Amino acid sequence: MTKEQVKAKIIAEIDANKDKLYEIGMSIFSHPELGYKETRTSKIVRDTFDEIGIKYESDLVMTGVKGKLFDKADGPNICVMGELDAVVCPDHPYADPVTGAAHCCGHYGQITALLATAIGLNAVKDEIKTGNVTFFAVPAEECVELEYRKGLMDEGKIKYVSGKQNLIHTGAFDDVDMAMMVHANNDHNVITADSKSVGFVSKTVKFIGKEAHAGAAPWDGVNALDAAALALSAINAVRSTLKDQDCIRIHPIITKGGTLVNIVPNDVRMEMYVRGATVEAIKDANFKVNRAIRGCAMAVGCEVEINDMAGDLPCNYNSKLAHIYGDNGAEIFPDRPVVYDTTIGGGSSDMGDIATIMPAIQPGTGGIAGAFHSKDFKMEYPDEIFLDPAKIMACSIVDLLWDDAEKAKEIIGEFKAGTTYNSKNFDSIWDDIMSV
């Protein structure tokens, strides 16, 4: 078969399984699960892999499922991912009445598109002579239920809050050379082939003062709220030292301001994110923020405890990989514009951690109406969520692995030549950011 015939067969196979894929997608949508608890969704993935003959590993970082198209290990291994988890949105019509979980971020579509891609490529596996394809359903992208996840960390079950980070840490991506995953958006009939977004460090701060009677003897106390108020002002002053191109965003809140109005506050808590467009920018801004906090605590006479936790790394996706996806999108759907968005979005995703250690993309597809993470989120064009991105990803993989995987090898080689980051030294990236 020619490459064009292989692509046509993939598209036909995905279309032939439309009803099954719709049923899968709606089943996941109607039964949302929160991160590291996605047991039902994980079973749907396993059952589908069993049905089409994809061998897999399961229970990776609790609920992850990793299948491979081939048993062989030669040539580049391209990973297609989908996220298993939902967000907390109890007012959504399809929210779980007990947990408040709702699929109003589109992850149900990612998993369905992942399975559609597997179905399409499985139909032409004999035509792929070089390389391999991994289909990876991954847990816990959404940053929710932090107390529960802190408990998992204390038990040694996870090291990081986010799923992909833990999978990297445990070696689940050591055999993967590049990755792709789609994300639904509100742009109907538009193919977004490339995008960027910031990363972040998550922080908790505890100012420890000394309580005293606020009216009778305030001089006997040490006011932790004063230290926190000074810290907010100092952080604002830090903003003038930050570079525009680094897209730094610092947004603190006070979560505890004291106990009683008549007692000098001795225990004041803050939480904040420090976001930025590069690892270096995040590290620099985080250092300045921590310095400001410590200085303000010292000025008032407080002690202070700063706890930095890994958030997500910046999403800087691979341009050549994005253009292969965009070219296939334009070929399959010639009536749809293909957009390469070079602006840096203010949100974050642990897909950025993947893109830091290997060539990766997270293109966007339409199909959604209403605001994300809200009760108004709904699916308007299911083909754009379930089927269309799978066709584009599968055909892009054919391009990457055709002719002895020439295109894949070129992209991988250029990436390795341009970075020192990889799955083996991933932990050191976060250690470096938070060593301030």
Side-chain angles (χ1 to χ4, degrees), residues 188-359:
H188 172 48
N189 269 340
V190 174
I191 297 167
T192 303
D194 198 5
S195 62
K196 298 182 184 297
S197 61
V198 295
F200 73 96
V201 169
S202 175
K203 308 171 71 65
T204 59
V205 183
K206 179 181 180 181
F207 294 95
I208 306 165
K210 180 183 177 184
E211 71 268 38
H213 194 291
W219 44 82
D220 288 336
V222 177
N223 195 315
L225 185 59
D226 285 344
L230 284 175
L232 290 175
S233 295
I235 290 169
N236 281 331
V238 164
R239 299 179 200 277
S240 65
T241 71
L242 305 173
K243 299 175 183 177
D244 293 344
Q245 63 267 30
D246 288 340
C247 300
I248 301 297
R249 299 288 185 272
I250 308 165
H251 36 100
I253 61 170
I254 293 178
T255 57
K256 181 179 180 181
T259 52
L260 292 174
V261 69
N262 208 30
I263 300 176
V264 173
N266 71 310
D267 181 357
V268 173
R269 312 287 179 95
M270 297 172 63
E271 293 181 8
M272 71 186 77
Y273 284 178
V274 178
R275 298 183 187 264
T278 67
V279 169
E280 293 75 18
I282 295 171
K283 182 180 179 181
D284 175 69
N286 196 44
F287 168 77
K288 291 175 178 177
V289 168
N290 284 354
R291 180 179 62 189
I293 292 169
R294 293 188 182 109
C296 293
M298 182 180 293
V300 175
C302 280
E303 297 180 20
V304 65
E305 297 174 357
I306 302 173
N307 179 29
D308 284 349
M309 293 184 291
D312 299 323
L313 291 178
C315 297
N316 295 304
Y317 297 122
N318 187 273
S319 178
K320 284 192 173 181
L321 191 53
H323 276 82
I324 289 173
Y325 182 93
D327 289 346
N328 277 280
E331 182 179 335
I332 299 168
F333 305 104
D335 58 329
R336 301 183 191 179
V338 177
V339 174
Y340 296 89
D341 188 357
T342 58
T343 60
I344 300 176
S348 303
S349 166
D350 61 1
M351 191 64 180
D353 296 78
I354 298 292
T356 301
I357 63 169
M358 67 181 69

Side-chain angles (χ1 to χ4, degrees), residues 11 33 36 52 72 80 103 157 173 197 235 253 268 284 341 356 359 364 375 402 408:
I11 293 169
E33 298 171 299
Y36 302 119
I52 62 177
K72 64 184 181 181
V80 178
H103 268 301
K157 293 182 178 179
F173 281 98
S197 61
I235 290 169
I253 61 170
V268 173
D284 175 69
D341 188 357
T356 301
K375 65 180 181 180
W402 207 254

Side-chain angles (χ1 to χ4, degrees), residues 76 130 399-412:
T130 305
D399 279 343
L400 288 162
L401 296 182
W402 207 254
D403 289 333
D404 195 34
E406 180 181 357
K407 288 184 178 180
K409 291 175 182 177
E410 177 187 343
I411 292 171
I412 295 164

